[in-house]
Amino acid sequence: MDKIKNYIKRHNLINKEDKIVIGFSGGPDSLYLMLVLLELRQEFSLSLAAVYINHQLLVEASRHEAFARRFCEEHGVPFYCYRKDIASYAAKERLSIEEAGRKFRYATFYHVLEKLHYDSIAVAHHRNDLAETVLYRMARGTGWKGMAGIRPKQNRILRPLLCMTKEEILKELMKRQQTYNVDPSNEDTVYARNQIRHKVIPELSRVNGQVTEHIADLAEQMEELGVYLTDQIQGAWSSCVICDGDKRRICMESCRKLPVFLQKEVLKRALAEVAGSERDLKRIHVEQLLKLMEAQSGREMDFPYQIRAVRQYDELVIGKREEPREEASIRLQEGSQWIGFAGGWMKVEIFPKKDEEFSEKMYTKTFDYDKIRNHAVVRTWQQDDYFVMNDKGQRKKLNRYFIDQKIPKDQRKKIPLVADEDHIIWIIGGRISGEYKVTGATKWVLQLTWTRMEE
Amino acid sequence: MDKIKNYIKRHNLINKEDKIVIGFSGGPDSLYLMLVLLELRQEFSLSLAAVYINHQLLVEASRHEAFARRFCEEHGVPFYCYRKDIASYAAKERLSIEEAGRKFRYATFYHVLEKLHYDSIAVAHHRNDLAETVLYRMARGTGWKGMAGIRPKQNRILRPLLCMTKEEILKELMKRQQTYNVDPSNEDTVYARNQIRHKVIPELSRVNGQVTEHIADLAEQMEELGVYLTDQIQGAWSSCVICDGDKRRICMESCRKLPVFLQKEVLKRALAEVAGSERDLKRIHVEQLLKLMEAQSGREMDFPYQIRAVRQYDELVIGKREEPREEASIRLQEGSQWIGFAGGWMKVEIFPKKDEEFSEKMYTKTFDYDKIRNHAVVRTWQQDDYFVMNDKGQRKKLNRYFIDQKIPKDQRKKIPLVADEDHIIWIIGGRISGEYKVTGATKWVLQLTWTRMEE
């Protein structure tokens, strides 16, 4: 109890006469959170209210709800209960059950906060949650930002239990002989979270028993580091970026003066702001922008989300392309190209043929470079398109191919193609033309890799 | 192959006419590294040499050595073989087999480098090593520094395979039908490293199949971030620290102007430099230094490694205490104290007695605070020391106790004691005196926690 009081004081989580809504499931974590706040209620003259959400996922749901309601009644805490069929909601919103639950939960918390004119929402995240979150993000791919922990106070959300491990919470409850709801879905390793909790952490614990504490400590340090970096990046951003409507204009002279790390973070942020999302913006895109900064004035480069970056005199201008390109020239030189077409991007490699075999994949194909007569473009289907079916040079109209493949009419214009005039080199995701195949006589190989952007 | 060539170029790992020693075990990784460098040998006019270390751990050791030797002979690479009984060496140096192996290996690499007048050492670390190292450090506890990856080039060590996964390396070897040595100790999950490889990563892969790539990417980003932070910390350090012999004098006015993150890093570095090690220097020590900066002039605080920090006018002076204290007063007030005595530190907590039971541990004891007549000190054994054996108040001389416990004479002066004049309150690591026990009548509890510093 002293530990939590110190933590609350140190992070200034609670002030006199605060009105706090508690996210209350009656499970061990939120029950202990409730006990802590009940103990502080008089000292701080707190007003407390509980929000209970019945996710209707468990057979025990109504028993759990009754337990939570009774507990609050006994302790004189107003009890607000919301019922929601989370499974249907998740299906409707195309979210995982976990994501759907979280989304509805926080929406409800804020709703109650507004309705009651309360100050903040207390939730029961603890050190194990912190460590699990970090490992989960690492598995899915994350950078320094994702390594930062969950904050003890963010917006109007309080997390007073972040200083406690699950084990400590259970020990405290045992000491008080306090019963609580048990959610059997915690035992279900279908959820990624539970895979981390029940498989990864136990295996890591065999390397070091303190792993949860260690990762939680790391997350706290990364949180502090994140505060510092956010400031530094903001400073760097202000020093060299002008927001011009949807465009971001980067003064290259000022940008070059920054440490490389900050240059990259500024460029990443510029891309993300124009894109409206950080998704699919990868380190390689930032590297390409750095290269563009060293290129001649007038050079431009395309990126996901219809983004085009132009090196213009002393500025790098990052904005959306006016029109989504119907036809995009692939310059036949080694290097990556982003073709903002049909939501994908294309990598182009050209090299002398070697004796090794190429592993052909659905989205990586090799071609005989010298067979291309004009130049290759990415585009959609046009009336006269054809490809070569076999070694005899027999042609087939693309129209016919679509019909044979039973591709509906409205889909046909959405399939990206690589074409050499009317001759289709590659139906992306489908076959390649026989004429461009790599053979024993091939001298130069053109290798194309198509990556579909995730929506 | 193109991937590695690009990586070598991008990180400027190899220059024309370089002379490179290859750490060569004949296992898949170092064999592939050898193949890569053999392929570049002519293009770059490289001189290559192999260093093979026979750890004498495996029954296959001599067969492995013969294979490696033959491979080098066939490819015209000078072969330097060193034999060492690593198991005995590890026992002698009190290291794990893994640590002993690494220590001997690098010492040998540098030895050969000097002997041959070569430029650099190439070793075969790859992306899986990177990801495993990061997870291993996280389990054992690490901060932002430890999250940084292994560098592609550091001092004279090159790691050209850091852009490849193990899977990619094996695939390349298979393509060339190249055989290699197989080290069965890799299958042995006794080693922490193999626990990560064979248990933790597979469990994490079920959350996301790309986990190795993702963690390796994170490590690379943290590496870049680390370069930036090291510069920032160096700048901050120069702005406010004067090195005065063994002491570090911190100008508080300049230090306070820094972002909190940098303040902490500067203080941590000052402690580490005076200590001569980063070990056992924890976040809480830095927090205490920050507090000391806000205290009155003249206040001082003790830390591990005989460190004393003094707030002196406008400076914080961090240095070693003149004399290791034979006797250290524990001020009887709540808060942490570092008693730089017998290599440990003491945490002091005082609180009103609650009804809950205390879990007594070997290094955490509770006492009836009001029974202490004078004040408690930590010190070693003196002639007249005694403690109370039982509820009847029967005394026992500490001398006698040592004899009964068969503690050799030269050890007795090394055992830390908590004493109230001649009356021993607690033989740390052993028993407490009956007189200070917490009873039903106890009003205030003194709780002491002793943490031994790791050497």
Side-chain angles (χ1 to χ4, degrees), chain A residues 144 195 203 220-221 283, chain B residues 139 144 195 203 220-221 283:
Chain A
W144 60 266
Q195 170 70 8
E203 293 293 355
E220 285 187 351
Q221 197 201 41
R283 273 150 50 99
Chain B
W144 60 266
Q195 171 69 9
E203 292 293 355
E220 286 186 350
Q221 196 200 43
R283 273 151 48 99

Side-chain angles (χ1 to χ4, degrees), chain A residues 225-441:
Chain A
L225 173 55
V227 170
Y228 169 68
L229 290 178
T230 305
D231 274 2
Q232 297 302 109
I233 294 165
Q234 180 56 41
W237 176 265
S238 310
S239 79
C240 65
V241 183
I242 296 162
C243 296
D244 176 6
D246 293 343
K247 290 198 174 96
R248 298 292 175 270
R249 316 175 78 92
I250 297 162
C251 167
M252 290 192 296
E253 199 192 331
S254 311
C255 188
R256 284 201 200 95
K257 282 184 193 148
L258 298 170
V260 177
F261 172 80
L262 289 182
Q263 288 185 28
K264 289 187 178 179
E265 291 290 329
V266 163
L267 293 174
K268 200 195 295 171
R269 177 168 160 187
L271 280 176
E273 286 196 4
V274 174
S277 167
E278 288 191 20
R279 234 171 157 167
D280 292 307
L281 294 172
K282 297 185 201 303
R283 273 150 50 99
I284 184 139
H285 299 130
V286 172
E287 304 273 350
Q288 291 284 339
L289 275 182
L290 276 177
K291 263 190 205 162
L292 186 60
M293 275 176 53
E294 301 313 315
Q296 282 180 307
S297 185
R299 283 290 299 272
E300 50 186 56
M301 224 179 247
D302 287 346
F303 293 91
Y305 296 100
Q306 317 287 357
I307 291 173
R308 177 169 294 170
V310 189
R311 189 197 175 312
Q312 247 165 24
Y313 307 106
D314 48 359
E315 281 185 341
L316 192 68
V317 181
I318 299 174
K320 289 262 183 185
R321 287 193 297 273
E322 303 303 306
E323 295 285 317
R325 285 203 278 190
E326 269 299 290
E327 187 162 306
S329 291
I330 305 178
R331 250 169 294 148
L332 292 181
Q333 57 187 31
E334 195 166 340
S336 296
Q337 291 291 322
W338 286 270
I339 311 296
F341 175 82
W345 54 276
M346 182 73 86
K347 189 168 157 202
V348 183
E349 288 161 291
I350 298 165
F351 43 81
K353 179 157 179 291
K354 288 166 283 187
D355 287 332
E356 58 192 77
E357 274 187 44
F358 298 104
S359 60
E360 292 282 336
K361 294 174 193 159
M362 194 159 171
Y363 291 101
T364 298
K365 297 287 179 194
T366 52
F367 309 88
D368 187 324
Y369 178 38
D370 296 311
K371 298 249 177 79
I372 296 169
R373 272 154 302 192
N374 303 288
H375 62 277
V377 301
V378 181
R379 59 167 175 79
T380 52
W381 171 68
Q382 288 168 3
Q383 194 55 48
D384 297 325
D385 287 350
Y386 69 93
F387 63 96
V388 170
M389 282 170 69
N390 50 30
D391 292 345
K392 289 172 205 135
Q394 220 175 334
R395 292 184 176 196
K396 182 170 191 164
K397 293 281 264 183
L398 201 57
N399 215 355
R400 197 64 244 163
Y401 169 84
F402 284 151
I403 293 165
D404 293 348
Q405 295 282 319
K406 300 197 174 54
I407 293 168
K409 258 197 175 151
D410 61 328
Q411 292 298 311
R412 293 179 197 168
K413 266 285 187 192
K414 289 179 185 161
I415 294 170
L417 309 167
V418 181
D420 179 8
E421 305 274 273
D422 291 345
H423 191 158
I424 301 305
I425 300 175
W426 179 20
I427 307 159
I428 295 176
R431 56 177 300 168
I432 75 171
S433 176
E435 195 154 316
Y436 299 94
K437 270 191 184 156
V438 173
T439 67

Side-chain angles (χ1 to χ4, degrees), chain B residues 366-421:
Chain B
T366 51
F367 308 89
D368 187 323
Y369 178 38
D370 296 312
K371 296 248 177 81
I372 296 168
R373 271 155 302 189
N374 304 287
H375 63 278
V377 300
V378 181
R379 59 168 175 78
T380 52
W381 171 67
Q382 288 169 3
Q383 194 54 49
D384 297 326
D385 287 350
Y386 70 93
F387 63 96
V388 170
M389 286 169 65
N390 49 29
D391 292 346
K392 290 172 201 132
Q394 222 174 334
R395 294 184 176 194
K396 181 168 191 163
K397 294 281 263 183
L398 201 56
N399 216 354
R400 197 63 243 164
Y401 169 85
F402 284 149
I403 294 164
D404 292 350
Q405 295 282 319
K406 300 197 174 51
I407 294 170
K409 258 196 176 153
D410 61 327
Q411 293 298 312
R412 293 179 197 168
K413 265 285 186 190
K414 288 178 185 162
I415 295 169
L417 308 166
V418 181
D420 178 8
E421 305 274 273

